[in-house]
Amino acid sequence: MACRKDTLLLVALLSFVTFYVRAKVDIDMDDTVSVYRGDPAELHCRYSFSEEPSMMMVQWFVKYPNGSRERISYRDLTIERVDEGTDYTDRITVAGDSNSETLTVLTVKLSDEREFFCQVNGMAAGNGERKTHLAVFDPPEAPVIEGVHSGISVSSHLLSKIASCEARKGYPRPNITWYRDETPLIPINGEINVVTLVTREASGFYTVQSELQYKITKEDKDALFSCKVSYFVPGDVRTSASQDINITVHYPTTNVELWRELPKGLVKEGDTVEIRCQGDGNPPPPYTFNREQQPEIELDSTNGQLVLHEVTRRDSGVYQCRTLDLDTEEDVVGNMHLTVHYLDPAVVVPKDSEVMSKGESLTATCNALSSLNTSTVWFKDDREIGRGHMLFLEDATFDTAGEYVCEVSVPTLAGFQSTGSVHIIVQGVPKIKDAENVDMEERAGKWVNLSCEARGYPRPIIAWSIYGTQSWREVLNRVTEDSVQSLVTLKVTSDITAICNATNDMGVETKTHSIKSMSMVTPAAKFQEGSGIIIVIIIICILLLAILGSVLYFLYKKGKLPCGRSGKQEIINVYSTAEKPNKEDIVVEMKAEKTEEAVLLKGVNGDKKPMNDQYIDLRK
Ligand SMILES: *[C@@H]1O[C@H](CO)[C@@H](O)[C@H](O)[C@H]1NC(C)=O
Ligand SMILES: *[C@@H]1O[C@H](CO)[C@@H](O)[C@H](O)[C@H]1NC(C)=O
Ligand SMILES: *[C@@H]1O[C@H](CO)[C@@H](O)[C@H](O)[C@H]1NC(C)=O
Ligand SMILES: *[C@@H]1O[C@H](CO)[C@@H](O)[C@H](O)[C@H]1NC(C)=O
Ligand SMILES: *[C@@H]1O[C@H](CO)[C@@H](O)[C@H](O)[C@H]1NC(C)=O
Ligand SMILES: *[C@@H]1O[C@H](CO)[C@@H](O)[C@H](O)[C@H]1NC(C)=O
């Protein structure tokens, strides 16, 4: 302390001397020295005397914010030292020579931002003082942006807070600027406002908070906002950008759209239809559905989706989706037309079934009412037989009979079809298949099958009349709607005549099978060439005897034969079919006339088994 007082006194004295002596000192210093916090700072003080000083000292001072100055180091020609008890005592070094001195602040603190004075005293050689401003820098942390989470409504008439941004711990004070899609947002009255809050911490750091207030529009829903912090560094200005954020913009619904989600393509009866409604507002408002003709009836829907199950043609029409915008209180409506196509059951004329006579013609029609163009195909026995809604049946035969199915389909709508059918019956006299009479030969004792198959409507009845054997029976009788097949099996005992009668209301057809019985022993004996004349003579003798016997037998029998033959004929007629009234009359007449004789003959021919001639009615 004593020393310090001495120097002060000396300084005063030197100054006084200098005032009178015209010698002077030039001092050169940087105006500003810029360093990052924590780095060392070198402050140079260069000086030169116009006259060589006999004695000289260099002192460094600092100036505090309260205006007071304090010396922090001292040097003269003999000593050099850092002043004790100051803020800088342990943090500075000084080094110098005859015309310069360097003060080094080892670790710069924010509080070191101040002026440093270098005072040079050379007594008579002159005095001087210059200063350097020490500027300290510390970049802030990266800016942190925080958008407003809740949706922002465009209907608000005031500026809305969009986001806030914070840049912490910077020195000197950083600035925050706002960007929308890379375009800077310059505050404009009534549209953009930026509220900035700067806090200085005790440590000297600045923290800057900025809030963007903005007049939001619908276009901002896709905009990206960001903030940038700009700060000084030694010799430069740097910036650091925040993340981009988006914001939720709420805007009213001005338009709603309706569309059919399902099914794709045309809609037909029975389909499930799904209709969706979407508006251009955010957030999506609740939607209600109704039909145009019944605006007061609200249809059941969920989240803008209307589902109609198993639609019918009555569901065709205009559907509406509406929503009430709460801001504007306006009803917004969307429309959609739904067409449900239909195809009614096919109607066939004639209905159900129709009876035709053989040779007749008929036109059948098949129609199904539809909202679309249809095409008709006719089938019989699963085979396509015609196209178009009319079917011409000409010159009917038994083959014409059957089930006719018409299929009406809609070419433009796959799977949409309906069918109808008509049953055609062809009425006619029985027709026997392979009706030509059959003549055949068969070995005696063999069993033979005879078949008789007839078509006709009403279905014919087959009756067999079999002469020449008793051993026969029917083994098969198969009927369809318009046909009948009968199979009899019989034993060939003698020549046989089997008559198959096919009868219905319209008439009768017969087929006769004649079977010639052949002897069990083959008449053609096998001769051996070398058996000799003896055998020939024996045969001739036997033949002569046989001829003689035959002649005698003929002569003996001659008077009796004609009566037996006629009797047999009448018996057959007695058993003629009862179906034919005309014939029956005749038969009855014959019976009346010949009853006695028939009875007699029966007795006479008792050994001839009259039951042979019975007829069997095969009607079912
Ligand atoms: C001015 O401030 C310094 C350091 O902060 C202090 O040492 C000094 O006593 C103050 N002077 C006055 C007059 O308050
Ligand atoms: C911050 O803004 C002020 C006022 O506009 C300006 O003077 C200063 O240079 C800016 N600082 C930075 C680091 O950009
Ligand atoms: C906003 O950003 C988030 C995340 O980046 C994204 O999932 C969302 O879709 C964005 N919203 C809009 C409206 O762009
Ligand atoms: C239906 O058919 C008629 C006549 O062939 C034709 O003029 C019309 O365009 C068709 N309609 C449709 C919807 O195909
Ligand atoms: C006759 O028909 C019956 C029954 O169909 C059959 O069992 C038999 O083998 C047939 N006989 C002849 C000789 O065809
Ligand atoms: C079979 O038909 C013929 C010809 O119509 C008739 O003469 C005969 O009596 C019929 N026989 C039977 C058994 O119906």
Side-chain angles (χ1 to χ4, degrees), residues 260-309:
R260 172 158 51 84
E261 193 99 323
L262 285 174
K264 304 286 176 215
L266 299 174
V267 181
K268 58 180 187 296
E269 286 192 325
D271 283 349
T272 293
V273 175
E274 194 182 306
I275 297 170
R276 289 200 73 92
C277 176
Q278 194 164 52
D280 58 356
N282 187 43
Y287 303 108
T288 58
F289 288 89
N290 63 272
R291 299 190 63 170
E292 194 180 41
Q293 66 266 44
Q294 297 167 309
E296 68 286 349
I297 298 177
E298 188 182 316
L299 303 168
D300 259 359
S301 65
T302 43
N303 300 329
Q305 184 186 48
L306 175 70
V307 179
L308 305 171
H309 295 281

Side-chain angles (χ1 to χ4, degrees), residues 463-465 499 501 503 508 510 573 575-577 580 583 615:
W464 288 92
S465 308
I499 302 165
N501 272 23
T503 324
V508 63
T510 61
N573 282 334
Y575 289 94
S576 292
T577 178
K580 293 262 164 189
K583 286 203 173 156
Y615 107 93

Side-chain angles (χ1 to χ4, degrees), residues 385-426:
I385 52 157
R387 287 180 170 262
H389 75 276
M390 278 164 62
L391 179 72
F392 304 100
L393 298 176
E394 285 170 328
D395 191 13
T397 65
F398 286 137
D399 288 332
T400 311
E403 183 91 359
Y404 288 79
V405 176
C406 76
E407 195 175 275
V408 182
S409 60
V410 177
T412 46
L413 198 45
F416 204 25
Q417 64 177 44
S418 78
T419 55
S421 66
V422 59
H423 194 84
I424 298 289
I425 294 159
V426 177

Side-chain angles (χ1 to χ4, degrees), residues 296-356:
E296 68 286 349
I297 298 177
E298 188 182 316
L299 303 168
D300 259 359
S301 65
T302 43
N303 300 329
Q305 184 186 48
L306 175 70
V307 179
L308 305 171
H309 295 281
E310 293 196 5
V311 290
T312 66
R313 65 199 78 178
R314 288 188 304 281
D315 293 313
S316 292
V318 174
Y319 285 79
Q320 294 184 320
C321 164
R322 57 181 72 230
T323 183
L324 181 71
D325 187 79
L326 295 176
D327 282 330
T328 56
E329 300 216 333
E330 258 177 53
D331 208 12
V332 188
V333 184
N335 287 312
M336 190 200 90
H337 195 274
L338 176 70
T339 307
V340 178
H341 291 290
Y342 56 89
L343 175 66
D344 281 346
V347 174
V348 185
V349 176
K351 204 165 163 275
D352 302 332
S353 65
E354 178 78 3
V355 177
M356 294 174 76

Side-chain angles (χ1 to χ4, degrees), residues 446-449 475-476 487-489:
K446 233 194 128 187
W447 286 89
V448 176
N449 282 353
V475 290
L476 179 80
L487 187 70
V488 293
T489 186

Side-chain angles (χ1 to χ4, degrees), residues 104-141:
T104 305
V105 181
L106 297 174
T107 311
V108 170
K109 303 199 282 190
L110 289 189
S111 55
D112 292 333
E113 166 125 356
R114 57 167 51 101
E115 279 163 347
F116 287 79
F117 297 86
C118 174
Q119 195 181 77
V120 180
N121 289 310
M123 302 301 181
N127 303 320
E129 185 184 79
R130 290 289 299 272
K131 62 177 178 184
T132 289
H133 179 80
L134 178 61
V136 186
F137 298 86
D138 197 0
E141 294 169 6

